[in-house]
């Protein structure tokens, strides 16, 4: 239910850099990686448009998003899909990132909970997933 | 060291079909191998998520293999091929890590059942897995071919297969990474 739009240096940290992916994994957050700064602008823009479309689908189901790090063009891509920029952190330390994640409100009983509930009330074919 | 283009769900199990996720968030058994071997990670988009949504049913290739889904996969393949092209031009070693058994992201094993359709009924133990690639992987292969770029070595996450064994999955991935 929680996904971090994560700038590349936190997924592929340089030597001595903060390993954001490990912390997000530990905390049970999903990660959507943002394009690295060395991609040409057109390539990055294409990927960001796909990221925005996927965020749109998750948001329809009440998933919570945060942004970890910075990525040029992200705010514009999200705006293009009618989405605001989620709360953002540019953490310098593991504790800073952990603290930020822990401070996020608990996710609403959303998508999966509703599906499970629906499945309970349904007879015959299951509600979703493998029929 | 090289670059591993991984299926979206390796970093975000939230994108999986209901009952398909193996853990919350990041699927560490694959990520840990890549990290331990010093590979850079690049996450590909999930073709099914944006097209069929989070409430999608599990599907076989025949259900997804429509002109509209092919167009969608081609659009994503162009974006991913742009990234692979840049890495290949720089001489970086590239591998793909897909999801075995997936109708979209399978790299050696996909799902097929020409009779599937209508009211969802899919008894456990059905034998939809078959040799082959998923639809997105086929479109990516075609796009890289159009650009004259060799198709990368492939590895697969095997959790959906009845024969799944985490140690074997790890050994298979390590072998792909070391196979330049």
């Amino acid at each position: 239910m929680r996904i971090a739009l994560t700038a590349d240096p936190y997924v592929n940290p340089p030597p001595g850099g903060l390993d954001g992916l490990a912390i997000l994994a530990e905390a049970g957050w999903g990660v959507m990686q943002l394009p690295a700064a060395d991609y040409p602008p057109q390539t990055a823009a294409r990927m960001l448009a796909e990221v925005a479309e996927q965020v749109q689908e998750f948001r329809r189901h009440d998933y919570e998003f945060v942004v970890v790090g910075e990525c040029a063009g992200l705010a514009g891509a999200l705006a293009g899909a009618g989405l605001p920029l989620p709360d953002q952190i540019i953490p310098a330390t593991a504790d800073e990132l952990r603290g930020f994640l822990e401070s996020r409100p608990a996710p609403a009983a959303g998508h999966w909970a509703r599906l499970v509930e629906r499945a309970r009330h349904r007879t015959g074919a299951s509600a979703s997933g493998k029929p | 060291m090289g670059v591993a283009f991984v299926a979206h769900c390796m970093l975000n199990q939230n994108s999986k079909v209901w009952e398909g996720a193996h853990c919350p968030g990041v699927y560490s058994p694959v990520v840990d191998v890549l990290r331990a071997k010093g590979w850079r990670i690049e996450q590909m988009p999930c073709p099914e998520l944006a097209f069929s949504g989070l409430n999608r049913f599990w599907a076989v290739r025949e259900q997804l293999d429509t002109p509209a889904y092919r167009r969608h996969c081609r659009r994503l393949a162009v974006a991913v091929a742009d990234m692979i092209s840049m890495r290949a031009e720089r001489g970086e070693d590239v591998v793909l890590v897909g999801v075995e058994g997936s109708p979209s992201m399978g790299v050696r094993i996909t799902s097929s059942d020409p009779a599937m359709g209508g009211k969802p009924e899919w008894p456990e133990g059905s034998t939809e897995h078959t040799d082959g690639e998923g639809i997105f992987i086929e479109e990516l292969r075609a796009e890289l071919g159009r650009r004259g770029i060799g198709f990368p070595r492939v590895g697969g996450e095997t959790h959906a297969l009845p024969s799944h064994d985490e140690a074997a999955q790890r050994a298979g991935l390590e072998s792909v990474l070391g196979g330049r």
Side-chain angles (χ1 to χ4, degrees), chain B residues 102-169:
Chain B
S102 163
S104 301
M105 296 304 297
V107 289
R108 294 190 192 97
I109 298 171
T110 185
S111 295
S112 172
D113 183 347
M116 190 59 65
K119 186 177 178 183
E121 285 176 19
W122 200 339
E124 285 302 326
S126 56
T127 55
E128 72 272 16
H129 292 144
T130 183
D131 289 349
E133 294 175 341
I135 293 164
F136 171 77
I137 297 296
E138 283 182 351
E139 292 298 336
L140 182 58
R141 179 185 286 280
E143 181 61 31
L144 290 173
R146 277 191 285 276
R147 298 173 186 218
I149 296 171
F151 195 66
R153 302 190 303 283
V154 296
E157 181 264 300
T158 58
H159 224 292
L161 305 182
S163 59
H164 171 70
D165 174 86
E166 198 162 301
Q169 174 184 276

Side-chain angles (χ1 to χ4, degrees), chain A residues 53 57 60-61 111 128, chain B residues 15 17 46-59 63-66 69 72 103-104:
Chain A
E53 194 172 81
E57 171 60 10
R60 288 192 329 116
H61 297 283
H111 179 60
S128 186
Chain B
S15 63
V17 69
C46 172
E48 293 175 27
L49 172 66
F51 193 84
S52 306
L54 278 172
N55 283 10
R56 66 192 184 276
F57 287 111
W58 282 39
Q63 291 168 300
L64 285 173
D65 200 354
T66 64
Y69 188 62
H72 171 72
S104 301

Side-chain angles (χ1 to χ4, degrees), chain A residues 24-105:
Chain A
L24 289 159
E26 218 174 75
W29 284 65
V31 168
M32 290 175 71
Q33 182 180 4
L34 302 170
D38 58 352
Y39 284 113
Q42 194 189 354
T43 302
R46 271 195 179 134
M47 287 308 292
L48 286 171
E50 302 303 342
V51 166
E53 194 172 81
Q54 302 200 8
V55 172
Q56 217 173 9
E57 171 60 10
F58 279 116
R59 286 296 305 140
R60 288 192 329 116
H61 297 283
D62 302 329
Y63 277 68
E64 191 198 350
F65 280 87
V66 296
V67 180
V68 177
E70 291 178 291
C71 175
L74 174 64
L78 291 173
L83 298 164
L85 188 70
D87 290 347
Q88 183 172 22
I89 183 171
I90 304 168
T93 66
D95 283 347
E96 206 182 326
L97 179 54
R98 280 196 194 97
F100 175 75
L101 297 175
E102 282 163 13
S103 74
R104 303 304 302 173

